[in-house]
Amino acid sequence: AQSVTQLDSQVPVFEEAPVELRCNYSSSVSVYLFWYVQYPNQGLQLLLKYLSGSTLVKGINGFEAEFNKSQTSFHLRKPSVHISDTAEYFCAVITIQGAQKLVFGQGTRLTINP
Amino acid sequence: EAGVVQSPRYKIIEKKQPVAFWCNPISGHNTLYWYLQNLGQGPELLIRYENEEAVDDSQLPKDRFSAERLKGVDSTLKIQPAELGDSAVYLCASSLGGQGLTKNIQYFGAGTRLSVL
């Protein structure tokens, strides 16, 4: 079975600073990878995805992530954050074959301070 | 295009009472999911439907939880009777299903926040 570890439960940063949210996964088979964002009292919104091709993927709101197969990581980055980026971020994986069950990490709370 | 629609957004009930949540997926999406999200945690799958068939309900506590998707479109999740520990957010998601890389991309509704007193 696959699993996801988000290494930081909370990340506080100042506005306009860069940020990296870390995600590592474990799986015995190939996976697809996702980042979702959850604003307060809302559902999950797809931020970006890695399905195939270039390992550097760009998403909405200026976020990007890089798939590193050898390190089994899929870290999320943004070069300059805004107050509106304050939210909970979830990394998730799904196996390409087999059970195809989407498994989420515990989430990282990103807090942007002025 | 409308997204995944869930209702109600909030529900407060007393323990031992029944409760039901409703979900309408994105038009054309064959696969529908119900997730449970406890406070401070990521969502966990309860049940997955392919059209009207429940193909993965291994994590659904069947003694008190039930779900249906009779016509392969909208779905209802029910808890009877509710317990204090059921307080959580219940999320519905849908995906295209079928073949291709995009079949697994899941789109989520806003969720129903349940409080059991």
Side-chain angles (χ1 to χ4, degrees):
Chain A
Q2 66 270 33
S3 65
V4 178
T5 301
Q6 292 185 240
L7 298 163
D8 306 293
S9 59
Q10 297 186 56
V11 173
V13 296
F14 288 107
E15 194 173 16
E16 298 184 7
V19 70
E20 178 179 82
L21 305 184
R22 297 180 293 170
C23 172
N24 285 91
Y25 70 92
S26 173
S27 177
S28 57
V29 298
S30 297
V31 296
Y32 298 136
L33 297 127
F34 305 85
W35 275 99
Y36 285 87
V37 59
Q38 187 173 35
Y39 299 103
N41 297 318
Q42 295 188 29
L44 277 70
Q45 181 180 2
L46 182 63
L47 204 53
L48 50 78
K49 59 189 181 293
Y50 173 77
L51 303 179
S52 67
S54 173
T55 57
L56 181 63
V57 293
K58 295 186 183 298
I60 61 172
N61 302 339
F63 284 93
E64 64 179 33
E66 185 159 18
F67 170 50
N68 188 319
K69 189 175 183 178
S70 62
Q71 297 186 3
T72 60
S73 67
F74 191 54
H75 300 333
L76 181 70
R77 303 184 183 98
K78 185 171 183 177
S80 176
V81 295
H82 303 285
I83 292 287
S84 59
D85 292 323
T86 296
E88 190 88 18
Y89 292 79
F90 292 95
C91 181
V93 301
I94 191 169
T95 56
I96 294 175
Q97 295 179 342
Q100 298 183 321
K101 181 178 177 179
L102 189 62
V103 175
F104 288 86
Q106 295 286 76
T108 297
R109 179 167 296 279
L110 176 64
T111 303
I112 312 300
N113 299 306
Chain B
E1 178 181 312
V4 177
V5 179
Q6 291 187 248
S7 69
R9 286 296 316 277
Y10 305 93
K11 189 73 176 180
I12 301 174
I13 61 172
E14 294 186 348
K15 63 181 181 182
K16 300 185 181 179
Q17 294 300 305
V19 65
F21 315 125
W22 177 80
C23 172
N24 193 39
I26 293 173
S27 178
H29 280 197
N30 297 321
T31 309
L32 184 145
Y33 314 79
W34 283 103
Y35 287 87
L36 167 68
Q37 185 179 20
N38 287 307
L39 187 64
Q41 297 185 23
E44 298 177 357
L45 181 69
L46 288 172
I47 189 168
R48 173 168 66 101
Y49 282 93
E50 297 286 349
N51 297 303
E52 65 274 9
E53 183 182 359
V55 296
D56 184 357
D57 63 356
S58 58
Q59 301 303 311
L60 189 72
K62 298 181 184 63
D63 57 335
R64 297 184 301 107
F65 286 66
S66 65
E68 60 183 17
R69 194 185 185 199
L70 294 176
K71 296 183 178 179
V73 180
D74 57 346
S75 175
T76 302
L77 178 68
K78 298 178 181 177
I79 308 175
Q80 182 171 9
E83 297 178 353
L84 295 176
D86 296 331
S87 295
V89 176
Y90 292 83
L91 293 166
C92 179
S94 69
S95 64
L96 271 173
Q99 303 299 314
L101 291 177
T102 60
K103 66 174 181 176
N104 289 314
I105 300 174
Q106 296 184 25
Y107 299 89
F108 285 79
T112 297
R113 183 176 296 275
L114 174 67
S115 296
V116 182
L117 306 178

